[in-house]
Amino acid sequence: MILKPGLIAMQTALMALTVALSGFASATPAEDREAMRAYYQKRFPAVEVNAHQDGVYAFDQNAREQWLELEDFPPYEVAVDEGEELYNSPLANGASYSDCFGDGAVKNRYPHFDEGRGEVVTLELAINDCREAHGSDPLSYKSAEMVRLSAYIAWQSRGQIIAMEEPESAGALAAYNEGKRFYTTRRGQLNFACTSCHVQLAGNRLRAEHLSASLGHVSHWPAYRLKWQDVGSLHRRFARCNEQVGAEPFPRQSPEYRNLEYFLTYISNGLTWNGPAIRK
Amino acid sequence: MNKNSPSPKFKAIALLSAGLLTAACSEQNPAPAPEPATEARQAIEQAREQYEASKTAGHAWSKTGKLLTGATEALEAGKFPQALSLAQQAETLADASLAQAKAEQEAWRDRLPKTPAHKKDEK
């Protein structure tokens, strides 16, 4: 197996750390959330836990200054404007998105577990449901339209608090546990789990970048990434993180990624919906 | 021995001429697939099977797919030793990714931080 030098060092560090960490699969969602908050509080004593909603900018002072400068003329603004136009355009039967989402401030309704459907419904699924209910074809989850609509909705929802209902029914708990399992499972040729980088090594550097905490991983999407030169979705970012360890990514809005989003959203309860954001 | 049955000598001649005939024909018609092609094709099939299994397990590695594409292209281009080698590399990776899937079936459970209350429970 070929490891890049930086990653070999990290593997070694991980082995040492693994001994210090461990968790119960049977822990309740509330216990998981409490444990994650306590862990990051200890790991980043100078950072207020909810501040992780700004990703690495919560603790990387240099990056933070550059980021704040970019926020003077935010590059996601065009996407929000285009999203607003789409939002107000009529669907096939003359209705519009406002018939489904009012003024668009609905981030705090998603994701949720839909008992009738037996699956996690994300904002993106709800956007397509709305289209289909009004006679329009669903959008591709990779389309520019989908990401722009979600950028507008994120903008309208700014400031809402993440307050996902605790998963309690058998179905909701199963989805949550699948998400947790995905998050903690090692994948790819480099044999890394999400936890390897974003829990055990959080705050360390990987090549040019610091590794963010997972609290707040869901709060700010879609994000304008300088690397992408565009706004992109949370699931696009998930795919990127799978790819960089040599694992094949899953499709956007696949059950795997929706369950992962469901888990990550619950542990981020108490932080603020603060999208769209800018990231490197 | 039955009178109607051909004598052993005749049988030998018949077999020999059939053999000569086949050899003669194959000189005119395209050669049957040479051994290395079959070997490469089988190696690709076998690797693909393991790769599909790793996908089903949710543990496919990107490199495996790339090696398989390379192997198939080499086969089509008639580069059989290269195809074989790429297919074998693909299978090694596919096997390793399946081993990872198996190891992770339980290992994932220990990777989330836990609450102090939990730590006490365990003792």
Side-chain angles (χ1 to χ4, degrees), chain A residues 1-2 21-25 27-28 31-32 34-36 39 177 180-181 183-189 191-193 195 199-200 243 246-248 250 263, chain B residues 51 54-66 93 96-97 100-101 104-119 121-122:
Chain A
M1 191 178 302
I2 300 155
L21 281 171
S22 77
F24 259 137
T28 65
E31 285 164 345
D32 288 338
E34 190 199 332
M36 289 289 269
Y39 175 83
N177 282 323
K180 175 156 101 179
R181 177 184 185 145
Y183 181 68
T184 52
T185 293
R186 287 175 181 267
R187 270 171 227 282
Q189 205 173 350
N191 203 30
F192 273 65
T195 42
V199 175
Q200 291 166 282
E243 282 165 354
E248 280 190 5
F250 292 78
F263 163 76
Chain B
Y51 174 56
S54 75
K55 271 192 176 177
T56 308
H59 277 262
W61 295 358
S62 332
K63 186 82 184 286
T64 317
K66 283 180 195 144
L93 288 193
S97 67
Q100 179 185 57
E104 287 304 295
Q105 265 173 6
E106 289 303 320
W108 67 275
R109 295 180 189 278
D110 277 339
R111 299 207 183 107
L112 266 200
K114 54 182 164 181
T115 58
H118 264 125
K119 281 185 189 145
D121 285 351
E122 266 198 344

